[in-house]
Amino acid sequence: MRGISRNIIIISLIAIIILAGIATYLVISTQRPAPVQRVSEIKVGIIQPLSGGLSTIGKYNLWGAQFAVDEINSRGGIKSLGGAKITLVVGDSAGDPSTAAREAERLIAVENVVAIIGAYASSNTKTVSDVCERLKTPCLNGDSSSPALTRRGLQWFFRTTGDDDLFSMQHAEFLKYLNSTKPGSIRTVAILYEDSEFGSATAEAWKKYMEQAGFKVVESISFRSGTPTLDSEITRLKAANPDVLLVAGYLSDAILIQRTMKKLDFNPKAVLAQDAGYINPSYISEVGPLGYYIFSREVFNWDLFDKVPGLKDVNDRFKAKYGIDMDGSIVRNYVAVWVLYYALEEAGKKASPSDLQAFREALRDALRNIDIGKGVLPVPWDGVKFDETGQNIRAKGIIVQMMPDDGKYHTVWPKEYATRDPIFPMPRWSERS
């Protein structure tokens, strides 16, 4: 009996050792990283106005996005997908919301893109994001600023740039700052805006924040973008005699506004633009001295090279390739691609692109949880983190002014980023050489 008991004990010990070994193997194997998927290509759709009146801006925006893609691919692509290269599949909205929607459907249903970036004009972004929502595909917007875009309860829409509600609030703070430098100089404002989603939402936000700041809105006039004349609108504004003119318009509008103001000798103390056409490289070269002293909201400027990590390096490489400096729209599309890249890395750990819908859902979840800190991207933001509406709550804006000594925009506000003091009030047309 004693021998039998000893054998039982030995057998039991052996069994325990084997079971422990199996358990250890199972634990280790479950903790082992999943094998890296090998995918050669990830297709991302991008929609921009590449024909029609906004085609110059659309081309530049596409350059910004493609430049980011080239950088990512040259650095090894998407690591979690075995170095998969990103391919941009391009859609042309022609600046028309209906065309933009059809392009979104084509990119999703025919080209099988994993996500769509775009589409510049807020009215176009609105229809594109509606299609993305219906077809359950992530839509990442880098350059549209209508506050309404993130107030629709969408689950697949994300915006990296700040919106015009934020920017308009900052405009009111900036005018209060100007008033502090010249007490009592600004009591009234007037608003001139193009009548699509972008301009209309901006005008609404301006009215709210200007009145809250104590400024009286003495006139508010809309116009159709691309109109051949603004004579009657500028004549009405001149009669209202505001201290400051607030303007929201696209490229051709901005050029026409400056020429008409000069022609009709309209002289507010300051003009403050809501970005868009006013910061486009073509506007700057087209208006020349007519654009001096104009303020504009921006999210990027060349003179922040010493204050924003990586900005000068990115701009130098971009200019070497395309021959122009980056502007706010270009850099926002560049940034949008990089944000999507970080999300693609996370999605690649959770799902396979071979199951396209599962991968799109993993990509949406990765965007929801993304957390990029300050200094990672070449913009004066605190980083990127989306709230429940899909809005990046870390985006910020700056105010720039085109200076007469070099014809360039310089950052004048906020103080932490300012490289020049603002020139205010601006000289009358008759006082300029």
Side-chain angles (χ1 to χ4, degrees), residues 170 298-309 311 374-375 377-383 394-401 409-422:
Q170 292 182 328
E298 254 288 17
V299 296
F300 159 91
N301 204 45
W302 64 273
D303 62 350
L304 299 181
F305 288 161
D306 295 332
K307 300 192 176 189
V308 179
L311 184 57
K374 187 174 184 177
L377 301 167
V379 280
W381 302 347
D382 291 335
R394 294 176 178 169
K396 288 185 173 181
I398 58 173
I399 302 295
V400 296
Q401 184 176 32
Y409 277 117
H410 292 258
T411 304
V412 296
W413 191 85
K415 296 292 286 185
E416 65 177 307
Y417 290 116
T419 60
R420 294 276 191 98
D421 291 327

Side-chain angles (χ1 to χ4, degrees), residues 61-76:
N61 290 346
L62 181 58
W63 285 358
Q66 186 61 58
F67 185 60
V69 166
D70 293 343
E71 284 190 338
I72 293 165
N73 288 343
S74 67
R75 297 175 187 180

Side-chain angles (χ1 to χ4, degrees), residues 265-306:
D265 195 31
F266 176 38
N267 292 286
K269 297 173 184 173
V271 175
L272 178 54
Q274 189 68 291
D275 192 87
Y278 277 86
I279 52 89
N280 188 273
S282 295
Y283 161 81
I284 296 171
S285 62
E286 190 77 21
V287 299
L290 295 183
Y292 292 172
Y293 309 104
I294 300 297
F295 294 109
S296 180
R297 177 266 294 176
E298 254 288 17
V299 296
F300 159 91
N301 204 45
W302 64 273
D303 62 350
L304 299 181
F305 288 161
D306 295 332

Side-chain angles (χ1 to χ4, degrees), residues 113-428:
V113 299
V114 300
I116 287 181
I117 293 174
Y120 185 63
S122 292
S123 56
N124 290 197
T125 301
K126 185 176 183 179
T127 58
V128 167
S129 55
D130 284 342
V131 171
C132 288
E133 189 76 8
R134 175 165 52 83
L135 299 180
K136 300 184 183 307
T137 301
C139 180
L140 182 61
N141 169 253
D143 53 12
S144 302
S145 52
S146 169
L149 292 173
T150 50
R151 295 175 180 171
R152 296 171 294 161
L154 302 187
Q155 300 300 307
W156 296 79
F157 180 68
F158 302 88
R159 173 165 55 191
T160 51
T161 186
D163 65 20
D164 289 330
D165 196 77
L166 168 70
F167 296 139
S168 297
M169 180 175 62
Q170 292 182 328
H171 283 172
E173 293 173 359
F174 174 63
L175 295 189
K176 289 166 67 177
Y177 164 70
L178 288 181
N179 248 352
S180 72
T181 65
K182 306 279 186 182
S185 295
I186 303 174
R187 292 187 172 85
T188 61
V189 301
I191 300 171
L192 179 65
Y193 64 99
E194 64 86 34
D195 63 0
S196 75
E197 179 71 28
F198 159 62
S200 299
T202 289
E204 184 179 340
W206 270 333
K207 288 178 186 175
K208 179 176 69 173
Y209 288 112
M210 292 300 155
E211 289 173 354
Q212 286 181 4
F215 301 119
K216 183 180 180 181
V217 180
V218 294
E219 187 62 277
S220 181
I221 304 174
S222 67
F223 63 89
R224 181 59 50 89
S225 181
T227 182
T229 178
L230 286 167
D231 284 10
S232 62
E233 289 84 355
I234 297 296
T235 299
R236 281 177 56 190
L237 290 169
K238 184 177 179 180
N241 192 31
D243 293 320
V244 174
L245 175 64
L246 306 170
V247 289
Y250 292 114
L251 176 58
S252 62
D253 311 324
I255 295 170
L256 181 60
I257 289 169
Q258 290 310 115
R259 288 175 174 166
T260 309
M261 286 181 63
K262 171 71 165 55
K263 182 177 71 174
L264 299 180
D265 195 31
F266 176 38
N267 292 286
K269 297 173 184 173
V271 175
L272 178 54
Q274 189 68 291
D275 192 87
Y278 277 86
I279 52 89
N280 188 273
S282 295
Y283 161 81
I284 296 171
S285 62
E286 190 77 21
V287 299
L290 295 183
Y292 292 172
Y293 309 104
I294 300 297
F295 294 109
S296 180
R297 177 266 294 176
E298 254 288 17
V299 296
F300 159 91
N301 204 45
W302 64 273
D303 62 350
L304 299 181
F305 288 161
D306 295 332
K307 300 192 176 189
V308 179
L311 184 57
K312 184 177 188 307
D313 180 54
V314 171
N315 186 71
D316 286 350
R317 286 185 281 111
F318 181 85
K319 189 171 185 177
K321 184 169 185 176
Y322 294 105
I324 60 172
D325 288 308
M326 300 179 101
D327 67 8
S329 291
I330 295 171
V331 80
R332 284 186 292 179
N333 278 276
Y334 172 85
V335 165
V337 171
W338 271 102
V339 171
L340 186 67
Y341 160 74
Y342 290 124
L344 283 167
E345 286 286 13
E346 293 304 310
K349 301 172 185 175
K350 306 288 176 55
S352 170
S354 61
D355 184 342
L356 184 56
Q357 194 50 48
F359 190 80
R360 286 171 175 166
E361 291 177 7
L363 183 57
R364 177 200 59 186
D365 294 344
L367 286 167
R368 281 177 174 171
N369 296 320
I370 206 160
D371 189 346
I372 300 174
K374 187 174 184 177
V376 175
L377 301 167
V379 280
W381 302 347
D382 291 335
V384 176
K385 187 173 181 59
F386 298 111
D387 64 13
E388 68 279 3
T389 71
Q391 175 62 46
N392 176 20
I393 57 176
R394 294 176 178 169
K396 288 185 173 181
I398 58 173
I399 302 295
V400 296
Q401 184 176 32
M402 189 184 288
M403 296 297 182
D405 58 334
D406 61 5
K408 294 181 178 180
Y409 277 117
H410 292 258
T411 304
V412 296
W413 191 85
K415 296 292 286 185
E416 65 177 307
Y417 290 116
T419 60
R420 294 276 191 98
D421 291 327
I423 299 176
F424 173 79
M426 65 180 183
R428 301 176 65 84

